Every structure is written in structure tokens, then in C-alpha cells.
Amino acid sequence: MKKITISHLEKLKKQGEKFSCLTAYDATFSEVISEAGVEMILVGDSLGNVIQGQETTVPVTLEDMEYHIACVANASPNCLIMGDLPYMTYSTPEQAYDTAAAIMQAGAQMVKLEGGEWLYATIAGLTERGIPVCAHLGLTPQSVDALGGFKVQGRDDKTASKMLLDAKALQKAGARMLVLECVPSKLAKLISESLSIPVMGIGAGVDVDGQVLVLHDMLGISPFQVKFVRNFMAEANGSIQDAIALYHNEVKEQNFPAEEHSFE
Ligand code: KIV
């Protein structure tokens, strides 16, 4: 298997073939996920929740991200590795360049940041400097305090139109991928169809180009289960390898997410 690139994921979108992504934070899971054929690994700042036991992703530092990205990259997975820019490390374009450089040098091939049109200049600058960027809209966990909790986003006409406009602006700025988190399925479908870049969903229904889940959630070992997660480990008789292979296959076949894992 060759290393997966962003161009490959763009090709899959054009062909209408779905792709899968899981979070990972260490070398062992990096290898297991790669062997299952999963196209992407996100070293997410969700490590604040599942590794560090924090309530939110806000306390995660750049040093934390660099450490875990290096652990994942050390396993040399075939997956494209994407790393999150942590809380308040991309408030200005210049600050974002330094943070993104550290994330790429730690071993990522793409960076992800949370927010809408206000990131236009930052994304354009990173793109000009040769860094592939993924934007993240919908429920953006770094802004959970401003959003008033972990809630579905874009349910009314005003916020839905704003999300579509943001998505188009971020693509125009140069974003190569978009993550939509906790967004009604119809809106996610519309956004995905309106963009040429791959759109990856988490709690965004089946009509997007790829799916991402937090590893600990889909293995059923997180302290709480949320609507958009399926416990693949329970279905795989307790085998982690089989659970990850099942997830990948169910995404490819468009059996996951089902309506019961999606929002209206
Ligand atoms: O940090 C993370 O794991 C994420 C996913 C929830 C998309 O951003």
C-alpha cells in the first residue's frame, strides 16, 4: 500500500467513493488503523478528552499535539496524518504559520483548524506556503463555551445559510478539506454537493465524502456514548482489529452512519 495523499481523497470524491478516518494518538493504534485500510488518521485535540481526561479540548497545548503526532508518525502508517492546531494557536496568520510548521515537522501531512470565514487570510497564507489545510465547521469543540455546550449546529435557516457561506469561503481561501461536526444530514449533503473539496462528517449523516470518529468512542470504551457513534467493538466480538476493519467497510458501503446516528 502506498501512502495516501490529499490528491487521492480528492479523486475518491470525484469517483463517488467514500473514505474513512479515525483518531489516533500513539504508534500502536496508528499501525492497526493503517493495516485496516483506513485512509486517514486524525491526531485530534480530542486527546485532551480521551488521553488526558480533560472536560474539553481547550487545555491541549502545541507540545501535547507535537508529542502525539510524532508517536503516530513513528509507526509510518499508510494513512494521511492530519494534526489539529490547538486552542488559540492560530489567532493571527503569523501565529498559525508557526503552529502549522510545528505540526507538520512533528509528522503530519495536513493541519486542521476550527472556524469560519474569519480564517480566510490564515488559510490563504498557509496554502501559499504549501501547507494543506482542513477547516472544521458545525460543532467546533474549541468554542464549546461560546456555543453553550455540545449541541447540533445549523438547525435554523439563518445558521444553516451562514455555514454554507463559510464553507464556500474556506474552499475559496484554499482549504483542501472540510470537517462538519454535528450538523443536520440535509445541510451536510448540501454543503458537500456545493464544494469540490472532500467533506468529512462526524454526526453529519451519510451524504458526505468521508467519515471520522474518535477511536475510543467507536470501540465503546469512552465513558459516555453519543447518538452519532456506533459501537463497532461490540459487533466485532471484542477484537480491536476487526472493529476497525468493520468500521472502514461500513463507511465504504455507506451503511454507516445510518439514520439513527444522524441529526435532522
Ligand atoms: O479532535 C478531534 O478528534 C476532532 C474530531 C472530533 C473531528 O476534531
Side-chain angles (χ1 to χ4, degrees), residues 84-108:
D84 269 337
L85 304 195
Y87 181 70
M88 291 299 273
T89 62
Y90 50 98
S91 304
T92 63
E94 286 68 27
Q95 190 192 16
Y97 304 153
D98 289 344
T99 309
I103 294 284
M104 298 295 279
Q105 286 180 330

PDB file of all heavy atoms in Angstrom, residues 84-108:
ATOM      1  N   ASP A  84      -4.409  18.522  14.532  1.00  0.00           N
ATOM      2  CA  ASP A  84      -5.165  19.720  14.925  1.00  0.00           C
ATOM      3  C   ASP A  84      -4.238  20.840  15.378  1.00  0.00           C
ATOM      4  O   ASP A  84      -3.253  20.598  16.091  1.00  0.00           O
ATOM      5  CB  ASP A  84      -6.090  19.378  16.106  1.00  0.00           C
ATOM      6  CG  ASP A  84      -7.472  18.933  15.673  1.00  0.00           C
ATOM      7  OD1 ASP A  84      -7.890  19.280  14.541  1.00  0.00           O
ATOM      8  OD2 ASP A  84      -8.136  18.243  16.461  1.00  0.00           O
ATOM      9  N   LEU A  85      -4.578  22.065  14.997  1.00  0.00           N
ATOM     10  CA  LEU A  85      -3.932  23.240  15.603  1.00  0.00           C
ATOM     11  C   LEU A  85      -4.690  23.507  16.903  1.00  0.00           C
ATOM     12  O   LEU A  85      -5.909  23.691  16.881  1.00  0.00           O
ATOM     13  CB  LEU A  85      -4.019  24.459  14.692  1.00  0.00           C
ATOM     14  CG  LEU A  85      -3.465  24.369  13.270  1.00  0.00           C
ATOM     15  CD1 LEU A  85      -3.318  25.774  12.665  1.00  0.00           C
ATOM     16  CD2 LEU A  85      -2.128  23.666  13.208  1.00  0.00           C
ATOM     17  N   PRO A  86      -3.991  23.481  18.047  1.00  0.00           N
ATOM     18  CA  PRO A  86      -4.737  23.603  19.310  1.00  0.00           C
ATOM     19  C   PRO A  86      -5.268  25.012  19.578  1.00  0.00           C
ATOM     20  O   PRO A  86      -4.927  25.977  18.880  1.00  0.00           O
ATOM     21  CB  PRO A  86      -3.716  23.175  20.360  1.00  0.00           C
ATOM     22  CG  PRO A  86      -2.395  23.205  19.726  1.00  0.00           C
ATOM     23  CD  PRO A  86      -2.570  23.211  18.238  1.00  0.00           C
ATOM     24  N   TYR A  87      -6.091  25.057  20.595  1.00  0.00           N
ATOM     25  CA  TYR A  87      -6.795  26.269  21.056  1.00  0.00           C
ATOM     26  C   TYR A  87      -5.877  27.500  21.099  1.00  0.00           C
ATOM     27  O   TYR A  87      -4.808  27.452  21.731  1.00  0.00           O
ATOM     28  CB  TYR A  87      -7.329  25.972  22.461  1.00  0.00           C
ATOM     29  CG  TYR A  87      -8.106  27.078  23.122  1.00  0.00           C
ATOM     30  CD1 TYR A  87      -9.364  27.434  22.651  1.00  0.00           C
ATOM     31  CD2 TYR A  87      -7.599  27.747  24.237  1.00  0.00           C
ATOM     32  CE1 TYR A  87     -10.090  28.435  23.278  1.00  0.00           C
ATOM     33  CE2 TYR A  87      -8.324  28.743  24.872  1.00  0.00           C
ATOM     34  CZ  TYR A  87      -9.568  29.083  24.375  1.00  0.00           C
ATOM     35  OH  TYR A  87     -10.281  30.065  24.993  1.00  0.00           O
ATOM     36  N   MET A  88      -6.317  28.559  20.427  1.00  0.00           N
ATOM     37  CA  MET A  88      -5.649  29.870  20.463  1.00  0.00           C
ATOM     38  C   MET A  88      -4.199  29.840  19.975  1.00  0.00           C
ATOM     39  O   MET A  88      -3.381  30.650  20.411  1.00  0.00           O
ATOM     40  CB  MET A  88      -5.706  30.469  21.884  1.00  0.00           C
ATOM     41  CG  MET A  88      -7.083  30.889  22.309  1.00  0.00           C
ATOM     42  SD  MET A  88      -7.819  32.163  21.279  1.00  0.00           S
ATOM     43  CE  MET A  88      -7.180  33.619  22.063  1.00  0.00           C
ATOM     44  N   THR A  89      -3.900  28.910  19.079  1.00  0.00           N
ATOM     45  CA  THR A  89      -2.547  28.898  18.495  1.00  0.00           C
ATOM     46  C   THR A  89      -2.598  29.334  17.026  1.00  0.00           C
ATOM     47  O   THR A  89      -1.610  29.193  16.316  1.00  0.00           O
ATOM     48  CB  THR A  89      -1.893  27.500  18.578  1.00  0.00           C
ATOM     49  OG1 THR A  89      -2.691  26.591  17.807  1.00  0.00           O
ATOM     50  CG2 THR A  89      -1.740  27.010  19.996  1.00  0.00           C
ATOM     51  N   TYR A  90      -3.790  29.848  16.591  1.00  0.00           N
ATOM     52  CA  TYR A  90      -3.886  30.338  15.208  1.00  0.00           C
ATOM     53  C   TYR A  90      -4.753  31.602  15.153  1.00  0.00           C
ATOM     54  O   TYR A  90      -5.530  31.812  14.220  1.00  0.00           O
ATOM     55  CB  TYR A  90      -4.387  29.236  14.257  1.00  0.00           C
ATOM     56  CG  TYR A  90      -5.652  28.505  14.698  1.00  0.00           C
ATOM     57  CD1 TYR A  90      -6.912  28.849  14.199  1.00  0.00           C
ATOM     58  CD2 TYR A  90      -5.593  27.439  15.603  1.00  0.00           C
ATOM     59  CE1 TYR A  90      -8.055  28.172  14.578  1.00  0.00           C
ATOM     60  CE2 TYR A  90      -6.738  26.754  15.992  1.00  0.00           C
ATOM     61  CZ  TYR A  90      -7.963  27.120  15.481  1.00  0.00           C
ATOM     62  OH  TYR A  90      -9.088  26.438  15.867  1.00  0.00           O
ATOM     63  N   SER A  91      -4.573  32.444  16.174  1.00  0.00           N
ATOM     64  CA  SER A  91      -5.388  33.661  16.283  1.00  0.00           C
ATOM     65  C   SER A  91      -5.033  34.692  15.227  1.00  0.00           C
ATOM     66  O   SER A  91      -5.851  35.544  14.869  1.00  0.00           O
ATOM     67  CB  SER A  91      -5.194  34.295  17.655  1.00  0.00           C
ATOM     68  OG  SER A  91      -5.507  33.356  18.636  1.00  0.00           O
ATOM     69  N   THR A  92      -3.786  34.663  14.740  1.00  0.00           N
ATOM     70  CA  THR A  92      -3.373  35.541  13.646  1.00  0.00           C
ATOM     71  C   THR A  92      -2.717  34.645  12.588  1.00  0.00           C
ATOM     72  O   THR A  92      -2.220  33.558  12.932  1.00  0.00           O
ATOM     73  CB  THR A  92      -2.338  36.571  14.110  1.00  0.00           C
ATOM     74  OG1 THR A  92      -1.160  35.861  14.532  1.00  0.00           O
ATOM     75  CG2 THR A  92      -2.854  37.432  15.258  1.00  0.00           C
ATOM     76  N   PRO A  93      -2.656  35.099  11.331  1.00  0.00           N
ATOM     77  CA  PRO A  93      -1.988  34.278  10.306  1.00  0.00           C
ATOM     78  C   PRO A  93      -0.552  33.943  10.708  1.00  0.00           C
ATOM     79  O   PRO A  93      -0.132  32.785  10.575  1.00  0.00           O
ATOM     80  CB  PRO A  93      -2.042  35.155   9.056  1.00  0.00           C
ATOM     81  CG  PRO A  93      -3.268  35.989   9.242  1.00  0.00           C
ATOM     82  CD  PRO A  93      -3.344  36.267  10.716  1.00  0.00           C
ATOM     83  N   GLU A  94       0.174  34.896  11.237  1.00  0.00           N
ATOM     84  CA  GLU A  94       1.592  34.659  11.574  1.00  0.00           C
ATOM     85  C   GLU A  94       1.716  33.582  12.652  1.00  0.00           C
ATOM     86  O   GLU A  94       2.576  32.703  12.578  1.00  0.00           O
ATOM     87  CB  GLU A  94       2.265  35.963  12.063  1.00  0.00           C
ATOM     88  CG  GLU A  94       2.547  36.964  10.956  1.00  0.00           C
ATOM     89  CD  GLU A  94       1.267  37.567  10.361  1.00  0.00           C
ATOM     90  OE1 GLU A  94       0.236  37.641  11.071  1.00  0.00           O
ATOM     91  OE2 GLU A  94       1.301  37.941   9.165  1.00  0.00           O
ATOM     92  N   GLN A  95       0.843  33.668  13.652  1.00  0.00           N
ATOM     93  CA  GLN A  95       0.881  32.652  14.718  1.00  0.00           C
ATOM     94  C   GLN A  95       0.533  31.271  14.124  1.00  0.00           C
ATOM     95  O   GLN A  95       1.145  30.258  14.477  1.00  0.00           O
ATOM     96  CB  GLN A  95      -0.121  33.023  15.823  1.00  0.00           C
ATOM     97  CG  GLN A  95       0.011  32.163  17.071  1.00  0.00           C
ATOM     98  CD  GLN A  95      -1.158  32.324  18.037  1.00  0.00           C
ATOM     99  OE1 GLN A  95      -2.211  32.842  17.663  1.00  0.00           O
ATOM    100  NE2 GLN A  95      -0.972  31.886  19.271  1.00  0.00           N
ATOM    101  N   ALA A  96      -0.419  31.267  13.199  1.00  0.00           N
ATOM    102  CA  ALA A  96      -0.831  29.998  12.570  1.00  0.00           C
ATOM    103  C   ALA A  96       0.314  29.387  11.759  1.00  0.00           C
ATOM    104  O   ALA A  96       0.472  28.158  11.731  1.00  0.00           O
ATOM    105  CB  ALA A  96      -2.042  30.231  11.670  1.00  0.00           C
ATOM    106  N   TYR A  97       1.132  30.235  11.095  1.00  0.00           N
ATOM    107  CA  TYR A  97       2.246  29.693  10.304  1.00  0.00           C
ATOM    108  C   TYR A  97       3.221  28.945  11.228  1.00  0.00           C
ATOM    109  O   TYR A  97       3.684  27.851  10.914  1.00  0.00           O
ATOM    110  CB  TYR A  97       3.013  30.791   9.550  1.00  0.00           C
ATOM    111  CG  TYR A  97       2.166  31.650   8.645  1.00  0.00           C
ATOM    112  CD1 TYR A  97       2.545  32.964   8.334  1.00  0.00           C
ATOM    113  CD2 TYR A  97       0.977  31.168   8.089  1.00  0.00           C
ATOM    114  CE1 TYR A  97       1.769  33.760   7.515  1.00  0.00           C
ATOM    115  CE2 TYR A  97       0.190  31.976   7.276  1.00  0.00           C
ATOM    116  CZ  TYR A  97       0.586  33.270   6.997  1.00  0.00           C
ATOM    117  OH  TYR A  97      -0.185  34.064   6.203  1.00  0.00           O
ATOM    118  N   ASP A  98       3.526  29.547  12.366  1.00  0.00           N
ATOM    119  CA  ASP A  98       4.470  28.912  13.306  1.00  0.00           C
ATOM    120  C   ASP A  98       3.889  27.615  13.860  1.00  0.00           C
ATOM    121  O   ASP A  98       4.571  26.596  13.954  1.00  0.00           O
ATOM    122  CB  ASP A  98       4.771  29.860  14.482  1.00  0.00           C
ATOM    123  CG  ASP A  98       5.631  31.035  14.048  1.00  0.00           C
ATOM    124  OD1 ASP A  98       6.229  30.958  12.953  1.00  0.00           O
ATOM    125  OD2 ASP A  98       5.706  32.037  14.794  1.00  0.00           O
ATOM    126  N   THR A  99       2.604  27.659  14.232  1.00  0.00           N
ATOM    127  CA  THR A  99       1.971  26.465  14.801  1.00  0.00           C
ATOM    128  C   THR A  99       1.897  25.353  13.759  1.00  0.00           C
ATOM    129  O   THR A  99       2.221  24.186  14.043  1.00  0.00           O
ATOM    130  CB  THR A  99       0.534  26.785  15.283  1.00  0.00           C
ATOM    131  OG1 THR A  99       0.582  27.924  16.122  1.00  0.00           O
ATOM    132  CG2 THR A  99      -0.064  25.620  16.036  1.00  0.00           C
ATOM    133  N   ALA A 100       1.482  25.720  12.535  1.00  0.00           N
ATOM    134  CA  ALA A 100       1.345  24.705  11.473  1.00  0.00           C
ATOM    135  C   ALA A 100       2.715  24.106  11.139  1.00  0.00           C
ATOM    136  O   ALA A 100       2.815  22.896  10.888  1.00  0.00           O
ATOM    137  CB  ALA A 100       0.709  25.331  10.240  1.00  0.00           C
ATOM    138  N   ALA A 101       3.757  24.925  11.164  1.00  0.00           N
ATOM    139  CA  ALA A 101       5.110  24.412  10.882  1.00  0.00           C
ATOM    140  C   ALA A 101       5.478  23.352  11.912  1.00  0.00           C
ATOM    141  O   ALA A 101       6.009  22.280  11.574  1.00  0.00           O
ATOM    142  CB  ALA A 101       6.117  25.553  10.895  1.00  0.00           C
ATOM    143  N   ALA A 102       5.172  23.616  13.189  1.00  0.00           N
ATOM    144  CA  ALA A 102       5.491  22.656  14.255  1.00  0.00           C
ATOM    145  C   ALA A 102       4.702  21.355  14.074  1.00  0.00           C
ATOM    146  O   ALA A 102       5.234  20.250  14.262  1.00  0.00           O
ATOM    147  CB  ALA A 102       5.190  23.278  15.620  1.00  0.00           C
ATOM    148  N   ILE A 103       3.442  21.478  13.678  1.00  0.00           N
ATOM    149  CA  ILE A 103       2.580  20.295  13.482  1.00  0.00           C
ATOM    150  C   ILE A 103       3.089  19.458  12.300  1.00  0.00           C
ATOM    151  O   ILE A 103       3.159  18.226  12.374  1.00  0.00           O
ATOM    152  CB  ILE A 103       1.109  20.751  13.245  1.00  0.00           C
ATOM    153  CG1 ILE A 103       0.543  21.429  14.506  1.00  0.00           C
ATOM    154  CG2 ILE A 103       0.217  19.617  12.757  1.00  0.00           C
ATOM    155  CD1 ILE A 103       0.164  20.531  15.633  1.00  0.00           C
ATOM    156  N   MET A 104       3.470  20.135  11.217  1.00  0.00           N
ATOM    157  CA  MET A 104       3.980  19.405  10.037  1.00  0.00           C
ATOM    158  C   MET A 104       5.337  18.769  10.357  1.00  0.00           C
ATOM    159  O   MET A 104       5.602  17.629   9.971  1.00  0.00           O
ATOM    160  CB  MET A 104       4.118  20.356   8.835  1.00  0.00           C
ATOM    161  CG  MET A 104       2.809  20.976   8.360  1.00  0.00           C
ATOM    162  SD  MET A 104       1.612  19.803   7.685  1.00  0.00           S
ATOM    163  CE  MET A 104       2.241  19.598   6.021  1.00  0.00           C
ATOM    164  N   GLN A 105       6.186  19.509  11.091  1.00  0.00           N
ATOM    165  CA  GLN A 105       7.516  18.955  11.406  1.00  0.00           C
ATOM    166  C   GLN A 105       7.417  17.782  12.386  1.00  0.00           C
ATOM    167  O   GLN A 105       8.286  16.916  12.399  1.00  0.00           O
ATOM    168  CB  GLN A 105       8.422  20.057  11.956  1.00  0.00           C
ATOM    169  CG  GLN A 105       8.874  20.980  10.838  1.00  0.00           C
ATOM    170  CD  GLN A 105       9.777  22.099  11.299  1.00  0.00           C
ATOM    171  OE1 GLN A 105       9.682  22.565  12.437  1.00  0.00           O
ATOM    172  NE2 GLN A 105      10.661  22.544  10.413  1.00  0.00           N
ATOM    173  N   ALA A 106       6.334  17.739  13.144  1.00  0.00           N
ATOM    174  CA  ALA A 106       6.146  16.601  14.062  1.00  0.00           C
ATOM    175  C   ALA A 106       5.753  15.340  13.287  1.00  0.00           C
ATOM    176  O   ALA A 106       5.862  14.230  13.819  1.00  0.00           O
ATOM    177  CB  ALA A 106       5.069  16.946  15.093  1.00  0.00           C
ATOM    178  N   GLY A 107       5.244  15.503  12.028  1.00  0.00           N
ATOM    179  CA  GLY A 107       4.943  14.310  11.228  1.00  0.00           C
ATOM    180  C   GLY A 107       3.597  14.307  10.534  1.00  0.00           C
ATOM    181  O   GLY A 107       3.235  13.309   9.900  1.00  0.00           O
ATOM    182  N   ALA A 108       2.834  15.423  10.646  1.00  0.00           N
ATOM    183  CA  ALA A 108       1.534  15.479   9.955  1.00  0.00           C
ATOM    184  C   ALA A 108       1.724  15.858   8.485  1.00  0.00           C
ATOM    185  O   ALA A 108       2.745  16.441   8.120  1.00  0.00           O
ATOM    186  CB  ALA A 108       0.630  16.497  10.639  1.00  0.00           C
TER     187      ALA A 108
END
